[in-house]
Amino acid sequence: MAEEPETEPEIEARLPEQDSFEPPESFVEQANVTDDPRDEFDENWPQCWENAADKLDWFDGYDEVLDDSDAPFYEWFVGGKLNACYECVDRHVEDGRGDATALSWEGEEGETREYTYEELLDEVQAFAAGLRDVGVEEDDVVTMYMPMVPELPIAMLACARIGAPHNVVFAGFSADALRTRMENASSDFLVTCDSYYRRGEKLDHKKKADRGAPDEATKIVVGRFERYVPTDGEYAYRELVTRHEGASVEPVERDAEDMLFLMYTSGTTGTPKGVKHTTGGYLSYAAWTSHAVLDLKPEDTYWCAADIGWITGHSYIVYGPLSLGTTSLMYEGAPDYPTKNRLWEMVEGYGVDVFYTAPTAVRAFMKWGTEHPESHDLSSLRLLGTVGEPINPRAWKWYYRYIGGEDCPIVDTWWQTETGGMMVTTLPGVDEMKPGSAGPPLPGIDARVVDESGDEVDAGDAGYLTVHKPWPGMLRTVYGDDERYLSEYWETYSDEDADEWVYFPEDGAKIDDDGYITVLGRVDDVVNVSGHRLGTMELESSIVGVEGVAEAAVVGGEHDVKGEAVYAYVIVEEGQDTDDTFREEIVDAVEDDIGPFARPEEVVFTDALPKTRSGKIMRRLLEDIASGDELGDTSTLRNPDVVKDIERKLEK
Ligand code: PRX
C-alpha cells in the first residue's frame, strides 16, 4: 500500500529549529577551502586575486593584477594572454583527462547525450571552423538564441576559441527582444534552433528567430530532432560540423581585457543594457568562485538547474565548471515533466554531487510535497546552492532537510549579471550558515551596507548594498555606452574628486553583528519574477503600446512560488472596454515584446493611479496593495480613494 503523504504539520515538525548551522563535518573533511582566506586577501589586496588567475593556464602571464588608473574603467590581469575555450577544454585533454565527461545532457523526452572533453574539443573545433567558413571573424559578435541543448555551450566555446564574443539571448525571450539585442550589439550572426519541447508541447522556435533576426543576419540552425534543411542565407549546424570534421583550429590568443561575451539585462531605464564581460578577469573569477564556493572538483558531477540564457548558466554551467574540468549536467526541460520526480530521478541517476538552483524552484518543490525527494536516493549530494533572489528561512530549512538530508551545506549566493560571479555567500567548508542571510562577502570583496549618504548602517538596520573595491569578474562597461555604465552603477555613492569609487548594485540589504548580509531585494524599478529580472519600464512601455491604453504602472507583488509576480495597473482611454478580451490583448503584448515569462499575473483596470500631490505615482503603495500588505499613511495622496478602489478590484 502506498504511504500517505506527510501532512503540513508533520513536515514542519521535521524542519530544524535552530537559526544557524555549522558546516557538516563530512563536508569540511574534503572541502576545497577550509581556512578562511579573508584576512590574507585583505592584507594582500589586489595581489590576492592571483589566487583566481592561478586557476587558469595563461599563454602569457600578466604584468599587473589591477590597473585602476582610469577608474571605474578597471583593467585586470593586464597584459596577460589566454583563450577561454582552451582553459575550458584543451588543457584538460592535454592533462590526460580527455576521457572524462565534460557535458552530460538530458532532453525533456528522456534522450541523453554525453561529451567527453576530447569529444567536446573535436566538436568545438569543427564548429569553430564552420563559423569561420560562414564569415565570422575575430571580434564579430555572434548571437545565440536557443534552448538548453549541447550545441549552445559548444557554440559559445567555439566563439571563444576564435575570439568572437557571444551574445546569448534566453530562448524564452520574444522575437522583438531578440531583435533589440542583436541590433544593439551590431551582431550579424545568429546561431539558433528549429524547435524544442516544453512540457510535451513542440515549440516552433525558428519562427520566432526569423521574426526577430535582422534581414541581413547570417543564420546557423540546429536541427533539434531531425536534419535541418537550410533555406537561402542559412546554414545547418550539423552540415557545417560534418564538413569540418577533424578540423584543427588553434585557440586564438586573447588579451585578458578582450571581450568574452555580452549579456543583456534590465534596469530602471527603458532599454536593456549590454553588460560587457572580458576574458581574463571574468574567467578567473568564474573558476575561483566555482572552486571556493561550489567546491567543484574534476571528479564531480555537478548540476546547475538554470538556463544558459542567463548569467548563472554562463558562469556556473559553462565557464566555471568546465574551466575546472568537472562534469556539468544540462537538462533541457521543465522540472515537473513528466512528473514531479524528474529532478530527483536525475540526481539519483547521475549521482549528482553538487546542485545549484533558484529559491523559486525550492518553493515549488515544497508545494509539490516531500514524497518526491523522499522516494529517491539523494545521498550523492554533498553541497546545495541557491541564487537569484532571497530565500526565506523556511524554504532554506526545507531544502536543507529534505534535499540535503541535513548533511549538505547550503550556499545562498548573492550576485548579478554585472558582477560576473558570486559576491556575498558563505564559504561552505568555513562559515556558519544562517538561513535567510546570504552570508559575509567573499574574500577580497568589500561589500558593505550603507545609508542614503553612504555611511555604514548599524547592525540590523536596512540600507543599500554597495561594493567598495573592484573585483576581477566585474562588468567593464555597458556595451557602447560608457556614460550609462557610470551613471547606473557608480554615480550614486562614488566621490569622483577623491577618486573613491563605489559600485551600487541597486539592492537593499541589512547586515548583522557578524557581518552577515541579508539581501532585501531591488531598490530600483526592477521586478524579480522566479529569479528573472524584469524592468518595469520595459513592461509599461509594452502595455502603453496597446491601442486603447492611456497609462500603465507595473510593480512586483509578493508571490509564494515566484517570489514576485508582475502586477499591471492600467488606465484605458475613453470608450475602451475593460473586458477579458482586452486584458488578454495586454498580456499578449507583453508576451510579444518580452516573452511569456514576463506575463502579468494581474491586470487591474483602474480610473486613476495613486499619486502624490506633486503628481508622482506612489509605486510603494501599489506594491503593498499587490502583496496584500498593510498600507501605511495614504494622507499625502492627491487621490486617496483610488487606493480602496484598486484593493477592492484585486480582492475579487
Ligand atoms: O536583486 C538581486 C537578486 O537578483 C539580482 C540580479 O539579477 P540577475 O542579474 O538577473 O542575476 C541573477 C543571477 C545571479 C540582484 O540584484 N539576487 C541574486 N542573488 C540573490 C539575490 N537576492 C537575494 N539573495 C540572493 N542570493
Side-chain angles (χ1 to χ4, degrees):
M1 210 173 73
E3 266 181 59
E4 285 285 310
E6 287 169 303
T7 60
E8 271 293 310
E10 280 168 350
I11 293 168
E12 196 73 43
R14 287 172 59 195
L15 293 180
E17 278 172 16
Q18 74 263 37
D19 296 324
S20 66
F21 297 75
E22 289 300 328
E25 217 25 69
S26 55
F27 181 86
V28 177
E29 275 165 17
Q30 49 76 64
N32 285 343
V33 178
T34 46
D35 292 323
D36 191 347
R38 289 185 176 89
D39 287 347
E40 183 196 315
F41 268 57
D42 287 346
E43 281 155 26
N44 193 24
W45 198 95
Q47 263 57 40
C48 58
W49 287 117
E50 289 180 3
N51 282 293
D54 285 350
K55 292 271 161 263
L56 307 179
D57 288 319
W58 298 68
F59 294 153
D60 262 335
Y62 44 88
D63 310 313
E64 203 182 353
V65 170
L66 169 67
D67 177 356
D68 59 1
S69 57
D70 189 23
F73 296 94
Y74 297 99
E75 296 195 350
W76 285 91
F77 309 124
V78 184
K81 303 272 185 216
L82 76 167
N83 181 284
C85 178
Y86 174 84
E87 303 289 353
C88 291
V89 189
D90 305 48
R91 65 174 178 147
H92 307 310
V93 178
E94 287 171 12
D95 287 349
R97 298 194 62 252
D99 290 340
T101 307
L103 287 174
S104 245
W105 174 85
E106 192 163 308
E108 194 177 73
E109 299 297 314
E111 323 120 87
T112 57
R113 262 150 80 182
E114 230 178 55
Y115 292 82
T116 62
Y117 276 96
E118 177 110 49
E119 287 163 345
L120 185 60
L121 178 60
D122 289 346
E123 178 110 351
V124 164
Q125 293 199 85
F127 190 53
L131 285 171
R132 282 201 174 138
D133 197 5
V134 307
V136 178
E137 291 179 5
E138 191 168 349
D139 294 322
D140 284 344
V141 177
V142 178
T143 301
M144 278 137 220
Y145 182 49
M146 54 215 288
M148 285 284 285
V149 289
E151 287 82 358
L152 175 53
I154 288 167
M156 291 161 73
L157 292 165
C159 280
R161 190 168 195 87
I162 61 172
H166 53 74
N167 169 33
V168 178
V169 179
F170 173 55
F173 269 121
S174 68
D176 282 355
L178 171 67
R179 179 165 332 102
T180 329
R181 285 157 178 75
M182 284 190 78
E183 282 174 359
N184 187 277
S186 306
S187 175
D188 297 328
F189 298 93
L190 177 67
V191 187
T192 187
C193 182
D194 56 356
S195 61
Y196 63 100
Y197 276 101
R198 191 30 80 113
R199 286 206 171 84
E201 185 195 347
K202 196 167 183 183
L203 306 177
D204 186 348
H205 189 63
K206 178 67 182 1
K207 200 159 114 199
K208 269 203 310 184
D210 283 343
R211 274 199 286 126
D215 289 345
E216 61 286 359
T218 301
K219 288 180 215 150
I220 302 175
V221 186
V222 173
R224 170 67 186 82
F225 300 99
E226 50 213 38
R227 223 180 110 233
Y228 184 75
V229 183
T231 59
D232 274 357
E234 287 182 357
Y235 299 86
Y237 172 93
R238 188 52 51 203
E239 234 171 75
L240 271 182
V241 166
T242 310
R243 193 183 316 153
H244 294 281
E245 210 177 307
S248 162
V249 175
E250 280 298 295
V252 302
E253 276 200 2
R254 295 286 278 172
D255 196 274
E257 280 298 310
D258 280 341
M259 173 156 70
L260 179 60
F261 67 87
L262 277 176
M263 166 120 270
Y264 282 82
T265 188
S266 297
T268 296
T269 44
T271 49
K273 302 172 272 199
V275 168
K276 175 182 162 181
H277 282 294
T278 56
T279 312
Y282 169 83
L283 193 64
S284 303
Y285 200 66
W288 152 253
T289 46
S290 297
H291 165 83
V293 182
L294 294 174
D295 200 62
L296 295 187
K297 307 174 192 343
E299 57 278 14
D300 279 338
T301 296
Y302 154 73
W303 187 11
C304 167
D307 193 292
I308 294 178
W310 306 105
I311 192 71
T312 303
H314 278 50
S315 302
Y316 300 114
I317 296 178
V318 183
Y319 287 113
L322 295 185
S323 66
L324 298 182
T326 306
T327 299
S328 187
L329 176 61
M330 273 179 82
Y331 171 53
E332 179 191 38
D336 53 352
Y337 187 86
T339 74
K340 297 183 170 64
N341 287 308
R342 184 60 183 263
L343 298 191
W344 317 124
E345 272 163 19
M346 287 180 62
V347 168
E348 182 172 357
Y350 289 89
V352 171
D353 299 274
V354 178
F355 181 68
Y356 191 36
T357 192
T360 186
V362 177
R363 290 190 297 265
F365 305 153
M366 286 170 74
K367 255 203 155 135
W368 296 343
T370 51
E371 60 271 29
H372 305 292
E374 290 203 316
S375 56
H376 294 84
D377 177 4
L378 306 181
S379 60
S380 59
L381 290 170
R382 59 180 182 84
L383 173 65
L384 302 173
T386 67
V387 56
E389 37 165 348
I391 180 161
N392 48 309
R394 186 159 182 269
W396 192 102
K397 288 181 182 181
W398 192 95
Y399 195 33
Y400 185 74
R401 169 72 187 84
Y402 290 100
I403 307 302
E406 300 192 45
D407 206 23
C408 302
I410 296 179
V411 284
D412 168 0
T413 60
W414 175 86
W415 58 293
Q416 308 180 294
T417 305
E418 292 87 341
T419 68
M422 300 153 175
M423 299 287 281
V424 176
T425 170
T426 50
L427 287 168
V430 174
D431 298 315
E432 182 186 61
M433 298 164 275
K434 302 186 191 184
S437 168
L442 278 177
I445 299 298
D446 187 357
R448 305 180 195 174
V449 181
V450 304
D451 62 19
E452 305 248 298
S453 34
D455 298 323
E456 283 185 64
V457 297
D458 291 333
D461 289 350
Y464 302 96
L465 186 59
T466 45
V467 187
H468 296 247
K469 283 195 186 91
W471 65 100
M474 65 191 294
L475 80 163
R476 297 303 194 264
T477 191
V478 172
Y479 190 64
D481 201 344
D482 288 348
E483 275 308 308
R484 200 165 168 197
Y485 170 71
L486 291 171
S487 62
E488 297 234 355
Y489 302 108
W490 300 96
E491 235 161 44
T492 317
Y493 288 109
S494 300
D495 180 350
E496 198 175 335
D497 297 331
D499 202 21
E500 278 170 18
W501 295 95
V502 178
Y503 173 82
F504 182 38
E506 307 213 60
D507 272 321
K510 284 195 306 198
I511 190 159
D512 73 6
D513 286 325
D514 299 325
Y516 275 52
I517 293 174
T518 296
V519 179
L520 301 170
R522 304 285 306 189
V523 294
D524 59 353
D525 294 329
V526 163
V527 190
N528 190 334
V529 180
S530 305
H532 297 151
R533 187 165 146 186
L534 295 166
T536 53
M537 285 262 292
E538 281 170 71
L539 287 152
E540 283 166 12
S541 76
S542 167
I543 295 172
V544 296
V546 177
E547 217 183 299
V549 171
E551 198 180 346
V554 170
V555 298
E558 277 168 31
H559 188 280
D560 61 352
V561 174
K562 296 178 182 174
E564 281 189 291
V566 172
Y567 279 71
Y569 300 92
V570 177
I571 304 176
V572 296
E573 282 169 358
E574 228 174 281
Q576 173 62 55
D577 278 344
T578 54
D579 52 11
D580 283 346
T581 317
F582 192 56
R583 191 171 268 123
E584 226 10 75
E585 219 178 289
I586 290 174
V587 172
D588 287 350
V590 172
E591 282 204 10
D592 281 353
D593 292 341
I594 303 172
F597 63 94
R599 281 174 74 92
E601 183 86 5
E602 292 277 357
V603 176
V604 185
F605 293 114
T606 172
D607 297 331
L609 292 166
K611 289 190 178 164
T612 59
R613 298 220 162 85
S614 60
K616 243 183 111 206
I617 297 176
M618 296 267 294
R619 288 178 170 281
R620 283 271 161 241
L621 209 55
L622 289 172
E623 282 167 15
D624 289 345
I625 300 173
S627 305
D629 289 347
E630 263 316 283
L631 302 186
D633 182 14
T634 54
S635 63
T636 53
L637 284 181
R638 189 161 68 180
N639 49 357
D641 290 347
V642 75
V643 173
K644 292 206 178 55
D645 183 51
I646 294 177
E647 275 188 311
R648 203 169 30 76
K649 283 187 175 142
L650 263 175
E651 271 162 21
K652 274 205 249 165

